[in-house]
Amino acid sequence: MTSTKTIPGVMLYLEDLEPIKSLSREDQGSLLIAILQYGTDGTLPQFEGMLAMAWAFVLPRIKRDIAKYHNKVSAKRYATYCREAVRRSEIPISHELWDMLDEANQKLLVSGDVTRY
């Protein structure tokens, strides 16, 4: 199981409509449920045949979109941290160092409450 962290949703692309239409209604439903389940908790479906081929086309896009979402969230959180650090007259750490921190430590730095524990 792959962690998708928390994402608000997954994208469906219009360019996939025709290939997906070639699947049976049952397989279309299975593919949709698999897409949503993967977006929810990273569960990879165990497909065979046409469904496995359809999943092989869909999965890289989902992974790409998840990575783009997390990068955007991280960039916005870093910008918030920098703004708050400057407001507190602190010198912000580099973006490279920021990316090395886990989410809990990033949140601590954004809030400025680093003496809480």
Side-chain angles (χ1 to χ4, degrees):
M1 195 177 301
T2 304
S3 173
T4 57
K5 298 184 187 175
T6 302
I7 58 172
V10 293
M11 292 285 297
L12 298 175
Y13 291 92
L14 296 177
E15 64 192 44
D16 294 329
L17 178 60
E18 290 305 316
I20 290 173
K21 281 172 53 176
S22 69
L23 298 172
S24 70
R25 291 279 187 217
E26 182 179 340
D27 285 351
Q28 289 172 358
S30 295
L31 183 61
L32 177 61
I33 296 299
I35 290 168
L36 295 173
Q37 190 66 54
Y38 183 81
T40 300
D41 62 15
T43 300
L44 289 168
Q46 300 299 312
F47 288 142
E48 295 180 7
M50 292 292 288
L51 266 175
M53 186 173 66
W55 181 252
F57 283 103
V58 170
L59 182 59
R61 289 191 191 123
I62 296 170
K63 286 182 174 182
R64 179 198 64 211
D65 291 346
I66 289 170
K68 282 172 58 175
Y69 173 78
H70 287 300
N71 288 340
K72 187 179 286 189
V73 168
S74 178
K76 287 182 178 186
R77 189 176 289 140
Y78 179 71
T80 301
Y81 155 70
C82 288
R83 182 188 68 231
E84 293 302 309
V86 168
R87 188 181 62 75
R88 294 186 300 261
S89 300
E90 299 170 0
I91 298 173
I93 63 173
S94 70
H95 196 258
E96 292 77 25
L97 224 70
W98 173 262
D99 282 338
M100 292 178 177
L101 297 173
D102 62 17
E103 191 172 334
N105 282 315
Q106 287 179 351
K107 286 181 180 179
L108 275 176
L109 287 176
V110 168
S111 73
D113 189 5
V114 293
T115 60
R116 181 169 40 168
Y117 299 105

